[in-house]
């Protein structure tokens, strides 16, 4: 970043999460990502630089190895003029959602991360004049815990996402429960994947956003956001999917456009576009739990019709969903089995605090750190080394459970058949596409006790409310049928 050329008016608010805020350049395909902190918490410039450098190193040395060269964009740490950062902070303040303003953008260190704008720029070179559509999906955890350490039987039947929905609605985080279930998306079965994507489009929450030429056109900011408007979305998407326009407006047009979008996203998610080297976990790391979640509305509707749920078709091994699921399954013990091991590491650190650096808890996230993650043994030998390996694997798995997949689509020209870029067809057009991963910060070591408490809270709430209600309904049905007489006829 050249000091003399930094103008806050060339940058606009792009979005933010719990720990960082992103601004995008108006012309160039780059974004700046700043850290956020509560007003009373101050960190030194050196600490902030190291924090950002750790994010870059983790992406480069760990996630790139697991997910592949083309999918992960690490960026670099840059130093910016402090006056530019202060003016930028003032400029964007009014655009920030009220629910995110409890933390302030870091205006004191001058450090930020510079990354490609994945809503506009893809892995492959795209002509600047062509419109670009980008779909951001946060798929969440795609398997049901298989660990024998799980004490709540419900966790072996219902996925974490579906259980958490009930607690989120009860606490006012969202207005209604989503029909989306991650196990449907990760199934590899097109019917289930289509259902999952339509459910996300109906109730986006913070799991789906759609951008057109870098501008957010669809997505939920918070629980107060208006209900999803498919007809407005279809209006934006129609030129992409039906360029020659053979459709009238109205519900039929809307359904046709949404159907095309869902089909294209499914095809892209099942494609393997990564030609680079990607580290593979040892064979044997496969979901051993149920292949369907009992709370999935898709599974429930089939059961009501007396049909079996379609078998998992299986994800192609080169596709990003498969690779992401593999990393998620580094959570070998579930938080219930992991928490006692975390306490073992904590007791060791209380006795030998100087060992924290040697154990690489706060970095460096280098090749040695990555190699230790490949040990998939679950036989506890009672050592701190075993406990630490499982703790680090859990942190990486949690990162993969919370990442976002960015799918960028750009219409192909008629004469673009000689291009080497991957292409996906739709009914009336073809799209060049690229797939990338976002939000790959390693989850903090300190968050493990919070995860343990939250897990208990989610399961207990689900058991007390949803299961109790289901049992009451079943009980009523049995009472209603008590007077029935069973007649047996000779055959």
């Amino acid at each position: 970043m050249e000091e003399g050329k930094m103008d806050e008016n060339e940058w606009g608010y792009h979005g933010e999460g719990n720990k960082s805020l992103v601004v995008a350049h108006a012309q160039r395909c780059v974004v700046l990502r700043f850290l956020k902190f509560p007003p009373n918490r101050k960190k030194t410039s050196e600490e902030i630089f190291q924090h950002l450098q750790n994010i870059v190193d983790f992406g480069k040395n760990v996630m790139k190895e697991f997910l592949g060269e083309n999918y992960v964009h690490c960026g670099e740490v840059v130093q910016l003029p402090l006056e530019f950062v202060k003016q930028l902070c003032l400029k964007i303040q009014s655009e920030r959602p009220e629910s995110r303003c409890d933390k302030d953008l870091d205006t004191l260190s001058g450090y930020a991360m510079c990354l490609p704008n994945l809503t506009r720029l893809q892995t492959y070179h795209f002509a600047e004049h062509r419109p670009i559509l980008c779909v951001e999906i946060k798929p969440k955890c795609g398997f049901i815990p298989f660990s024998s350490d799980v004490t709540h039987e419900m966790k072996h039947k219902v996925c974490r996402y579906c259980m958490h929905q009930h607690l989120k609605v009860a606490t006012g985080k969202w207005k209604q429960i989503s029909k989306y279930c991650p196990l449907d998306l990760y199934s590899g079965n097109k019917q289930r994947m289509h259902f999952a994507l339509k459910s996300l489009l109906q109730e986006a929450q913070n799991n789906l956003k759609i951008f057109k030429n870098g501008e957010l056109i669809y997505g939920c900011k918070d629980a107060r956001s208006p209900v999803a408007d498919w007809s407005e979305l279809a209006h934006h998407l129609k030129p992409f999917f039906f360029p020659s326009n053979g459709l009238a407006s109205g519900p039929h047009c809307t359904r046709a456009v949404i159907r095309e979008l869902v089909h294209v996203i499914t095809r892209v998610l099942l494609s393997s576009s990564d030609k680079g080297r990607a580290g593979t976990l040892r064979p044997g790391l496969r979901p051993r739990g149920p292949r369907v979640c009992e709370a999935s509305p898709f599974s429930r509707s089939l059961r009501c019709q007396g049909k079996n749920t379609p078998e998992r078709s299986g994800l192609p091994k080169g596709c990003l969903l498969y690779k992401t699921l593999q990393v998620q399954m580094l959570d070998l013990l579930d938080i219930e089995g992991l928490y006692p091991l975390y306490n073992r590491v904590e007791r060791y650190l209380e006795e030998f605090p100087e060992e924290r650096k040697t154990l690489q808890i706060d970095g460096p996230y280098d090749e040695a750190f990555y190699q230790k993650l490949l040990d998939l043994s679950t036989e506890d030998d009672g050592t701190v080394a075993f406990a630490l390996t499982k703790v680090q694997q859990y942190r990486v798995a949690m990162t993969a459970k919370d990442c976002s997949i960015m799918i960028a689509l750009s219409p192909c020209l008629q004469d673009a058949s000689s291009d080497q870029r991957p292409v996906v067809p739709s009914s009336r057009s073809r799209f060049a596409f690229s797939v990338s991963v976002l939000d790959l910060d390693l989850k903090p070591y300190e968050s493990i006790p919070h995860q343990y408490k939250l897990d208990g809270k989610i399961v207990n709430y689900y058991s007390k409310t949803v299961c109790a209600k289901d049992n009451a309904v079943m009980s009523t049905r049995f009472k209603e049928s008590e007077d029935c007489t069973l007649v047996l006829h000779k055959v």
Side-chain angles (χ1 to χ4, degrees), residues 277-327:
R277 176 173 95 91
T280 320
L281 289 163
R282 291 176 200 168
L285 196 57
R286 295 186 182 89
R288 298 194 288 276
R291 295 184 167 193
V292 292
C293 164
E294 287 189 6
S296 161
F298 183 86
S299 306
R300 282 187 167 189
S301 67
L302 283 182
R303 281 202 302 275
C304 289
Q305 295 166 38
K307 297 176 185 174
N308 291 325
T309 308
E311 262 303 289
R312 181 204 302 266
S313 304
L315 292 164
K317 289 193 177 180
C319 79
L320 183 56
L321 279 181
Y322 176 85
K323 293 179 180 186
T324 307
L325 186 58
Q326 288 282 296
V327 183

Side-chain angles (χ1 to χ4, degrees), residues 164-175 223 454 457 461:
H164 202 175
Q165 280 288 303
H166 291 268
L167 183 62
K168 283 182 173 179
V169 170
T171 54
K173 169 81 174 169
W174 303 114
K175 280 185 178 171
L454 178 62
K457 211 171 172 181
Y461 183 82

Side-chain angles (χ1 to χ4, degrees), residues 144-158 163 289-290 292 294:
I144 285 178
F146 45 81
S147 169
S148 57
D149 293 295
V150 169
T151 58
H152 301 276
E153 189 55 35
M154 188 51 60
K155 284 169 70 175
H156 285 311
K157 297 175 182 177
V158 178
M163 279 197 271
V292 292
E294 287 189 6

Side-chain angles (χ1 to χ4, degrees), residues 211-260:
F211 301 84
K212 186 164 85 172
N213 299 328
E215 294 291 319
L216 181 68
I217 60 166
Y218 194 81
C220 188
K221 289 186 175 70
D222 54 39
R224 293 182 294 277
S225 292
V227 177
D229 186 349
W230 275 18
S231 56
E232 190 186 331
L233 176 62
H235 174 73
H236 280 293
L237 300 182
K238 198 172 165 186
F240 284 90
F241 294 101
F242 297 96
S244 54
N245 199 0
L247 283 175
S249 58
H252 172 70
C253 167
T254 299
R255 282 196 299 271
V257 172
I258 297 295
R259 188 167 59 243
E260 287 295 308

Side-chain angles (χ1 to χ4, degrees), residues 294 300 462 465-477:
E294 287 189 6
R300 282 187 167 189
Y462 188 82
T465 55
V466 182
C467 297
K469 194 166 73 177
D470 287 351
N471 290 340
V473 170
M474 288 303 291
S475 171
T476 307
R477 281 180 188 165

Side-chain angles (χ1 to χ4, degrees), residues 399-440:
T399 301
K401 289 177 189 182
D402 208 33
C403 71
S404 292
I405 294 175
M406 307 288 281
I407 298 168
L409 303 159
S410 187
C412 287
L413 299 174
Q414 294 302 314
D415 58 355
S417 54
S418 60
D419 284 357
Q420 296 302 303
R421 296 166 299 184
V423 170
V424 61
S426 70
S427 295
R428 305 278 183 89
S429 56
R430 295 183 311 134
F431 296 93
F433 72 88
S434 75
V435 188
S436 310
V437 200
L438 215 58
D439 299 336
L440 290 176

Side-chain angles (χ1 to χ4, degrees), residues 178-194:
S178 169
K179 291 179 182 175
Y180 170 70
C181 174
L183 266 73
D184 291 331
L185 188 69
Y186 281 97
S187 68
N189 177 288
K190 284 184 183 174
Q191 196 185 350
R192 287 174 70 186
M193 291 178 79
H194 289 172

Side-chain angles (χ1 to χ4, degrees), residues 90-157:
L90 291 170
K91 177 180 179 281
I92 63 170
Q93 189 59 34
S94 62
E95 296 179 64
R96 296 179 63 193
E98 194 183 325
S99 59
R100 293 293 189 187
C101 291
D102 57 328
K103 291 181 182 176
D104 300 327
L105 182 143
D106 162 40
T107 56
L108 300 174
S109 74
Y111 288 113
M113 273 174 73
C114 184
L115 295 147
N117 184 343
L118 297 173
T119 65
R120 293 173 59 190
L121 176 76
Q122 286 87 14
T123 318
Y124 303 89
H125 177 70
F126 280 62
E128 283 298 314
H129 61 275
R130 262 182 261 172
I132 288 176
L133 193 66
C134 179
V135 181
E136 178 182 343
I137 299 169
K138 197 180 271 288
K140 304 303 280 186
C141 180
F143 71 98
I144 285 178
F146 45 81
S147 169
S148 57
D149 293 295
V150 169
T151 58
H152 301 276
E153 189 55 35
M154 188 51 60
K155 284 169 70 175
H156 285 311
K157 297 175 182 177

